Each structure stands twice: as structure tokens, then as C-alpha cells.
Amino acid sequence: MRVSEALRIIQGAPPDAEPFAALLACGCAPLHLKTFFCAHLQQSLPLRRVLVLEGLYGDLAGTLERRDQSFDAAAIMLEWSDLDARLGYRSAAPWTLAAADIVKSVAAALSRIAAAIGNMDRSVRIALSLPSLPLPPLFHTNGTQASAAELELSCQLAAFASQMSQVAQRRGLAVINAQRLAEESPAAGRFDLKSDLLIGFPYTLAHADALAAASARLLAPPAPRKGIITDLDDTLWSGIVGELGPEGIGWDLNGHHHLHALYQNLLASLSEQGTLVAVASKNDPDLVKNAFTRSDLLLPAGRVFPFEVHWQSKSSSVSRILETWNIGAGDVIFVDDSAMELAEVESAHPGIQCIQFPRSDYAAGLAMLRRIRDLCGKDRLTEEDTLRLDSIRQGAEFRGMAAEGAVSDSFLDQAQAVVTVDFAPSPEDTRVLDLVNKTNQFNLNGIRRTDADWQAANLMPDAVVAVVSYADKFGPLGKIAVLQGCRDGTVLHVNTWVMSCRAFSRRVEYQCLRVLFDRFGLTGIGFDFAETPRNGPLQEFFASLLGARPTGHVTLSRPEFESRCPALFQRLVVTGEKTWTS
């Protein structure tokens, strides 16, 4: 990105939009780094107006320790000179016999920064960049040989990064991948000595842009793709199974087909981490079934659902898979070796990410593997990620029976379901906000929440937040619903209510309202409803309770609910009951 382009993006921000304040914590003069950072973050948050707050010049740790500013996110761009001024070029401090002292000084500085990060508001999302500029030539060895002091500094930095990775498991902190940054901004083109000495800005424009872009991607990451639909012949494996038979296809290193093995490994890994994997193949179903019994296949059949194997169009297969998964095309990747099949699917399903398997082009193959991983990447894994595939299978079974009118009271009674409602969820539980921001079909109004917005709303004296989990004899679904609102006497005003599509057909939505009415003696519940292009299932639910589809704010009285609530068979468990203030 050029500076002029960055300025146009900043000037084009919606003037009346809700502001998004981001702290830029760096020890240097921010200059173009601030401009690039603001522009990249604005691109990632087009409906907000990004404001970048500057830190204290030459005092990164002091910036992090300040408590006189509030912000939604922070980009911490650490350099060696922030740990000891002698590790930069602007310091006049002598280098003579300084190595041992510098090692101690850096350890103390890292400890101070770690403490400052730990004390920051937990609702603030943080992007951390480790030192990206070279050390000055102050050590006793020649430049080819690493000195003991340099190796010790590297060890200290690695220990600090490891400590931050532990913090990342508990809060919204992400560390920039130094290896990927080095590919996008080679080391030789990062440092500008003239600019550093004259104006205190040490980066070349190219590196400032790369650093800003990486930080913005971590602070406002795109939603990960939820599923991958893959072709088989010359994609998952080399060869045509209909011609060669199940034993004739390959993915072995000796046969120069190992790119297919790497692809299988990637799909298996992503599947274990919660990404759905399905097959869409024009093929003989029996031959494919036999191929998936091979013991050397790296993607087990149990990690794939559903299989669409027949001679119909790929786009029709994709339609049925999306229906089974109950997600939109924009949440999915389709991989095939045929450009024609990719074009046909893309035409029928706008928004789907189509990727061509490159077969014998190894450089393109590596780029493909990394691209798929990037599209599906997540900050952290949750228990629900490991349950997703099994719960999708359950959901397909429930929807199939519902279509046949077979989800009867008797069936639900025998499901041995347990609904757990937690009125005091942990503020560090990332699954809660993920549900709020990624659920579309059963979503009260489509409003997305930042960490800061969510925590502030839940700290109100009469706030209510309920997180709902579900399990039955078929297995657990984990946390599947979130409801948040504010109580006014005997009426609860709900402004957020979402439920995962995995819980459809189980009457969990009725149980959510039942526990609110019964537990707190409510006479009514008001809902800040707004129609969205995708919340049809929630509109249908309200129609079943009110006799008509909602058109705006919805109020449901207790008598209305009681008269229309079907039989509920789940065992109810309530934890962390809210204590109301008068």
C-alpha cells in the first residue's frame, strides 16, 4: 500500500460511524506507521471509524502502563531499542564492555512489558510484534558468528514470546508470526538508518506497511471458513478411481504424488480442529467407499461428512452439503483440479472460495496449502470445535426426521437431553462472543459486539447474560446459545439472543425463555428484534409464539408464552444464578 492510498482510505471512513479506538504502542516516532496501521484497520472494519492513539515517544513500557486512555485494541510493535537504548542506533551510550549489562537490562524490560500487558483491560484485543529490526554491531564476534550475548538475548525473547502465548490462551492476544513477516518483508529491506537518525522513524515504507498490515489482520481478523468441500480424483488422490480402481490411485512419495498426501494431512488436521470436510465427486459410490477403506489414507472416512458421490453436477452436490451443514456459501472453500468445475460451482454459489488443486506444480501446491490454512485459521481452539462434526451429523439426523414429521414428543422424551444455563459465564470464555458474532440464522438483530462492548454491557447492575449448553444421548453439542439483556422490574429487555443451528429442532429456544420466566418471575420479555437477510429461523420462531412474523420490537407476555410453548423434555440445570439489585 502506498501512503497516498492509505490516506484515501482513512479519509473515506464513514464520519458518523461508531469509533474504534486503537492504541499504537511503539518507541519510535509513529509517522507513516500510524498512517498505514489506521488504513489497514479501517479496511478490516469498514462500518467503524478507526481512531489511532499514539503512545509515548521512546517509552513503550510507559505507554502500556498508562491508565488515562481507553481503547478497543492495541498494536504493540516492540523493537530491541525499546528493551535497551543501546540496542538501537540513536543512543549515544557507549558500547564498550556493555554486553553483560545489556542482557540484564533486556530481561528487566521484558518482565516490565509482560506485567504491563497482563494488567491491561481484558476486553482489549492485542497484536504483539517482536523485534523485527537488526541488532547493531556492538558484540565482539564478526557478523557471521552469533555471540553468546546475542544468543542469550534470543533466548530471553523466546521465553517472553512463550509467556505471551500462555496469556493468549486466556485473552484476545495474538503474536505476529515472525517467519511469515520475514517472507512478506525481507530483513534486508526493513531498516532505514537515515530516517532513524534524522527523524526517529527506523522503518522503510515497505516494512512499515507490512508491519501495520499484519497487526491490523490480528486485531480485526476475518471470520474463518467453516468448511471445505473437496473433489477426489486428481485432488484428494492422484488418478481416476473409476479407471484404476481403489488400489490404483496414489498419494505416495515414491510415485511423485506426495502433494496429495500433504493435502490429505491438512484436511485431517483442520477437521480435528473443527473445520467441516465434505466430498463432492462425480464417481461410482462403491469404488469411493472402497477407496476410503484403505489403511494408508491420511483422511479417515470418519472425518468426512457428508459424501456427495454420484454423476450429478458439482453445484448441486455443494447445495446439498451446504443444506446439511446449514451454513452459507460464503463460509466454505471448494477445492477441485478442474477449472470448469470450479467455474460451475462459483457461478451457482456466489461467495464460495474456489481453489484449484495444482497437481504437479509444487510451488503452487505449497501456496495452496498455506492459503487454505490461512482461510480456516483460528485464534484458539475450544471444546465446541472438537464436537462440531459429530453435532453436524446429529443435526442432519434431527432435520431429516423433522422433514418427515418424525421429531415427535416421544423421540424428544427418549433423547435424554440436558440443557445447562449458566448465568455467570467466565469473561475469558471466547466461545460466548464467537457465538454472538458468528451466528446468523437464529440471531435477534445481527448486531456484532466487540470485547469491550460486550464486557461493558454485562457489567451493568441489572444486566443478564445466559450461556446455554446442550447434551443428549447422541453426544454433547457444547455451548449453543447466548442471551443478554437488562431487567426492569418484572420485565427483561433482551438485546442479544443467538443460537447455533446445531441446536435446531430440539426446542432449546423454548427452554431458554422458560428458564427466564420461571427463575426470575417475569411477566414479560421484550426483544430488540431487527430483520436481517439470514435470520429467517428466528422470525419463524417468533411467528409461532405471536401468530405473525415480527416487524420490530417484540414483547412476549407470560400468558402468550404459556399458551404456545410445546412440551419440554430436557432436564434443566441452572448455574451461577444472577443476584438482582433493587
Side-chain angles (χ1 to χ4, degrees):
M1 182 184 292
R2 295 180 180 274
V3 174
S4 57
E5 180 185 357
L7 291 172
R8 283 197 299 272
I9 292 170
I10 295 170
Q11 292 165 1
D16 299 325
E18 182 181 0
F20 183 92
L23 174 67
L24 176 57
C26 62
C28 67
L31 299 177
H32 300 309
L33 182 63
K34 177 182 178 180
T35 302
F36 286 130
F37 176 58
C38 186
H40 282 292
L41 198 52
Q42 186 66 62
Q43 281 187 320
S44 299
L45 299 168
L47 301 181
R48 304 290 291 271
R49 179 168 53 87
V50 174
L51 304 174
V52 177
L53 309 177
E54 296 182 21
L56 302 170
Y57 178 76
D59 188 5
L60 184 142
T63 294
L64 301 180
E65 292 168 341
R66 290 174 65 183
R67 295 291 181 269
D68 59 346
Q69 296 184 103
S70 62
F71 40 85
D72 301 294
I76 304 172
M77 301 184 184
L78 188 64
E79 293 297 346
W80 289 112
S81 57
D82 296 314
L83 305 177
D84 190 299
R86 290 167 291 185
L87 295 180
Y89 284 83
R90 290 176 61 83
S91 171
W95 289 354
T96 307
L97 302 176
D101 183 57
I102 287 175
V103 168
K104 293 179 181 179
S105 174
V106 168
L110 288 173
S111 179
R112 181 186 173 191
I113 290 170
I117 292 174
N119 290 330
M120 290 176 69
D121 189 329
R122 290 185 176 275
S123 67
V124 172
R125 188 172 179 87
I126 300 170
L128 172 63
S129 171
L130 300 177
S132 62
L133 298 179
L135 288 164
L138 62 83
F139 302 103
H140 68 87
T141 57
N142 65 57
T144 306
Q145 179 183 348
S147 70
E150 288 172 294
L151 295 175
E152 178 60 30
L153 291 176
S154 297
C155 287
Q156 289 183 4
L157 192 63
F160 170 75
S162 178
Q163 181 183 0
M164 290 300 99
S165 71
Q166 297 301 314
V167 173
Q169 298 302 312
R170 304 190 301 272
R171 61 179 297 165
L173 182 147
V175 180
I176 291 177
N177 186 325
Q179 179 176 309
R180 178 65 66 86
L181 182 64
E183 295 174 6
E184 297 176 353
S185 178
R190 296 180 175 184
F191 182 51
D192 187 332
L193 178 61
K194 179 180 179 180
S195 175
D196 187 22
L197 296 181
L198 295 185
I199 58 176
F201 184 71
Y203 303 122
T204 63
L205 289 181
H207 184 56
D209 180 40
L211 199 57
S215 298
R217 283 198 297 269
L218 295 186
L219 293 179
R225 299 280 169 151
K226 298 179 180 178
I228 301 172
I229 302 173
T230 183
D231 179 39
L232 295 178
D233 294 335
D234 286 330
T235 301
L236 193 71
W237 52 60
S238 177
I240 310 297
V241 70
E243 297 176 359
L244 303 174
E247 298 304 321
I249 56 177
W251 48 86
D252 58 296
L253 190 62
N254 292 334
H256 305 295
H257 306 314
H258 197 64
L259 183 56
H260 299 276
L262 296 174
Y263 177 57
Q264 291 179 25
N265 258 333
L266 177 63
L267 293 186
S269 171
L270 289 171
S271 176
E272 289 181 354
Q273 296 160 13
T275 301
L276 302 170
V277 177
V279 162
S281 175
K282 293 180 179 178
N283 236 314
D284 184 308
D286 291 333
L287 290 176
V288 168
K289 184 176 181 180
N290 289 336
F292 270 86
T293 64
R294 282 183 50 169
S295 60
D296 58 339
L297 192 70
L298 299 169
L299 176 66
R303 303 306 307 174
V304 180
F305 180 78
F307 283 87
E308 283 283 338
V309 182
H310 42 65
W311 301 105
Q312 299 175 30
S313 69
K314 292 285 181 71
S315 61
S316 64
S317 293
V318 170
S319 294
R320 285 185 288 273
I321 292 169
L322 294 178
E323 183 178 359
T324 298
W325 286 349
N326 202 18
I327 59 179
D331 293 322
V332 172
I333 300 167
F334 176 61
V335 184
D336 199 302
D337 67 300
S338 167
M340 184 180 72
E341 299 284 18
L342 292 168
E344 191 257 338
V345 167
E346 189 172 30
S347 175
H349 299 283
I352 196 168
Q353 181 73 58
C354 289
I355 297 177
Q356 186 168 11
F357 191 92
R359 298 170 66 177
S360 58
D361 186 337
Y362 294 97
L366 176 59
M368 176 202 69
L369 297 174
R370 294 174 61 169
R371 183 182 179 194
I372 292 173
R373 171 63 74 177
D374 284 352
L375 288 169
C376 298
K378 305 169 185 175
D379 280 359
R380 58 190 64 83
L381 298 178
T382 66
E383 179 185 1
E384 283 70 27
D385 290 322
T386 63
L387 299 173
R388 184 163 288 115
L389 179 60
D390 289 339
S391 66
I392 287 289
R393 284 196 174 99
Q394 291 180 41
E397 180 181 354
F398 268 80
R399 284 194 299 273
M401 289 186 293
E404 300 168 3
V407 181
S408 62
D409 285 1
S410 175
F411 177 84
L412 291 174
D413 188 24
Q414 296 171 18
Q416 302 171 19
V418 178
V419 171
T420 301
V421 182
D422 183 5
F423 285 101
S426 168
E428 297 178 357
D429 187 348
T430 58
R431 170 64 177 168
V432 174
L433 204 54
D434 281 348
L435 270 171
V436 172
N437 288 332
K438 297 177 183 178
T439 303
N440 294 302
Q441 296 178 84
F442 197 99
N443 189 314
L444 184 62
N445 46 37
I447 296 175
R448 306 311 190 190
R449 312 286 182 182
T450 66
D451 288 345
D453 296 338
W454 183 251
Q455 299 300 339
N458 292 336
L459 289 175
M460 299 294 290
D462 290 316
V464 179
V465 58
V467 177
V468 183
S469 302
Y470 177 92
D472 57 27
K473 68 179 182 180
F474 301 102
L477 298 187
K479 298 180 181 70
I480 46 83
V482 178
L483 186 148
Q484 194 270 344
C486 189
R487 181 174 178 256
D488 182 8
T490 60
V491 176
L492 178 67
H493 299 282
V494 176
N495 50 51
T496 298
W497 189 17
V498 299
M499 186 175 73
S500 169
C501 60
R502 295 181 291 157
F504 287 2
S505 304
R506 292 164 168 82
R507 302 182 186 173
V508 177
E509 57 272 43
Y510 293 96
Q511 191 66 269
C512 289
L513 299 183
R514 166 67 72 192
V515 72
L516 292 174
F517 276 117
D518 289 351
R519 205 73 181 180
F520 307 123
L522 301 176
T523 59
I525 303 178
F527 300 89
D528 291 336
F529 168 79
E531 182 178 347
T532 74
R534 297 177 65 180
N535 69 354
L538 181 128
Q539 296 177 47
E540 293 173 5
F541 170 66
F542 275 142
S544 72
L545 289 175
L546 302 172
R549 282 182 176 263
T551 56
H553 185 84
V554 175
T555 300
L556 178 67
S557 69
R558 181 160 194 149
E560 286 177 310
F561 175 73
E562 297 290 355
S563 67
R564 293 186 171 96
C565 179
L568 302 177
F569 301 97
Q570 308 102 334
R571 180 167 65 89
L572 181 63
V573 177
V574 177
T575 62
E577 181 177 342
K578 174 79 175 184
T579 301
W580 298 110
T581 58
S582 58

